[in-house]
PDB file of all heavy atoms in Angstrom:
ATOM      1  N   ASP A 369     -43.160  11.518  26.516  1.00  0.00           N
ATOM      2  CA  ASP A 369     -44.430  11.904  25.895  1.00  0.00           C
ATOM      3  C   ASP A 369     -45.531  11.948  26.955  1.00  0.00           C
ATOM      4  O   ASP A 369     -46.160  10.944  27.283  1.00  0.00           O
ATOM      5  CB  ASP A 369     -44.813  10.916  24.786  1.00  0.00           C
ATOM      6  CG  ASP A 369     -43.862  10.973  23.611  1.00  0.00           C
ATOM      7  OD1 ASP A 369     -43.181  11.995  23.452  1.00  0.00           O
ATOM      8  OD2 ASP A 369     -43.806   9.977  22.860  1.00  0.00           O
ATOM      9  N   GLU A 370     -45.748  13.136  27.476  1.00  0.00           N
ATOM     10  CA  GLU A 370     -46.730  13.321  28.555  1.00  0.00           C
ATOM     11  C   GLU A 370     -48.154  13.091  28.069  1.00  0.00           C
ATOM     12  O   GLU A 370     -48.988  12.533  28.775  1.00  0.00           O
ATOM     13  CB  GLU A 370     -46.573  14.741  29.100  1.00  0.00           C
ATOM     14  CG  GLU A 370     -47.452  15.092  30.273  1.00  0.00           C
ATOM     15  CD  GLU A 370     -47.198  16.521  30.728  1.00  0.00           C
ATOM     16  OE1 GLU A 370     -46.038  16.966  30.724  1.00  0.00           O
ATOM     17  OE2 GLU A 370     -48.183  17.199  31.083  1.00  0.00           O
ATOM     18  N   ASP A 371     -48.434  13.546  26.854  1.00  0.00           N
ATOM     19  CA  ASP A 371     -49.780  13.420  26.304  1.00  0.00           C
ATOM     20  C   ASP A 371     -49.681  13.356  24.787  1.00  0.00           C
ATOM     21  O   ASP A 371     -48.590  13.410  24.216  1.00  0.00           O
ATOM     22  CB  ASP A 371     -50.672  14.584  26.748  1.00  0.00           C
ATOM     23  CG  ASP A 371     -50.013  15.945  26.510  1.00  0.00           C
ATOM     24  OD1 ASP A 371     -49.381  16.120  25.447  1.00  0.00           O
ATOM     25  OD2 ASP A 371     -50.118  16.826  27.385  1.00  0.00           O
ATOM     26  N   ILE A 372     -50.821  13.245  24.121  1.00  0.00           N
ATOM     27  CA  ILE A 372     -50.826  13.102  22.669  1.00  0.00           C
ATOM     28  C   ILE A 372     -50.255  14.332  21.980  1.00  0.00           C
ATOM     29  O   ILE A 372     -49.585  14.219  20.944  1.00  0.00           O
ATOM     30  CB  ILE A 372     -52.259  12.796  22.149  1.00  0.00           C
ATOM     31  CG1 ILE A 372     -52.252  12.506  20.641  1.00  0.00           C
ATOM     32  CG2 ILE A 372     -53.220  13.927  22.487  1.00  0.00           C
ATOM     33  CD1 ILE A 372     -51.389  11.331  20.248  1.00  0.00           C
ATOM     34  N   HIS A 373     -50.446  15.504  22.560  1.00  0.00           N
ATOM     35  CA  HIS A 373     -49.930  16.740  21.957  1.00  0.00           C
ATOM     36  C   HIS A 373     -48.393  16.758  22.003  1.00  0.00           C
ATOM     37  O   HIS A 373     -47.735  17.078  21.015  1.00  0.00           O
ATOM     38  CB  HIS A 373     -50.495  17.961  22.690  1.00  0.00           C
ATOM     39  CG  HIS A 373     -51.884  17.764  23.180  1.00  0.00           C
ATOM     40  ND1 HIS A 373     -52.943  17.537  22.341  1.00  0.00           N
ATOM     41  CD2 HIS A 373     -52.391  17.750  24.452  1.00  0.00           C
ATOM     42  CE1 HIS A 373     -54.048  17.384  23.062  1.00  0.00           C
ATOM     43  NE2 HIS A 373     -53.728  17.498  24.347  1.00  0.00           N
ATOM     44  N   THR A 374     -47.858  16.396  23.161  1.00  0.00           N
ATOM     45  CA  THR A 374     -46.404  16.327  23.318  1.00  0.00           C
ATOM     46  C   THR A 374     -45.814  15.290  22.380  1.00  0.00           C
ATOM     47  O   THR A 374     -44.775  15.521  21.745  1.00  0.00           O
ATOM     48  CB  THR A 374     -46.049  15.960  24.775  1.00  0.00           C
ATOM     49  OG1 THR A 374     -46.754  16.802  25.667  1.00  0.00           O
ATOM     50  CG2 THR A 374     -44.559  16.096  25.021  1.00  0.00           C
ATOM     51  N   ALA A 375     -46.457  14.141  22.305  1.00  0.00           N
ATOM     52  CA  ALA A 375     -45.943  13.046  21.473  1.00  0.00           C
ATOM     53  C   ALA A 375     -45.896  13.440  20.003  1.00  0.00           C
ATOM     54  O   ALA A 375     -44.881  13.228  19.313  1.00  0.00           O
ATOM     55  CB  ALA A 375     -46.818  11.809  21.665  1.00  0.00           C
ATOM     56  N   ASN A 376     -46.974  14.021  19.514  1.00  0.00           N
ATOM     57  CA  ASN A 376     -47.012  14.388  18.097  1.00  0.00           C
ATOM     58  C   ASN A 376     -46.025  15.502  17.769  1.00  0.00           C
ATOM     59  O   ASN A 376     -45.359  15.469  16.724  1.00  0.00           O
ATOM     60  CB  ASN A 376     -48.433  14.814  17.708  1.00  0.00           C
ATOM     61  CG  ASN A 376     -49.353  13.624  17.485  1.00  0.00           C
ATOM     62  OD1 ASN A 376     -48.896  12.479  17.387  1.00  0.00           O
ATOM     63  ND2 ASN A 376     -50.655  13.877  17.424  1.00  0.00           N
TER      64      ASN A 376
END
Side-chain angles (χ1 to χ4, degrees):
D369 293 339
E370 183 180 322
D371 50 41
I372 186 59
H373 326 297
T374 310
N376 281 347

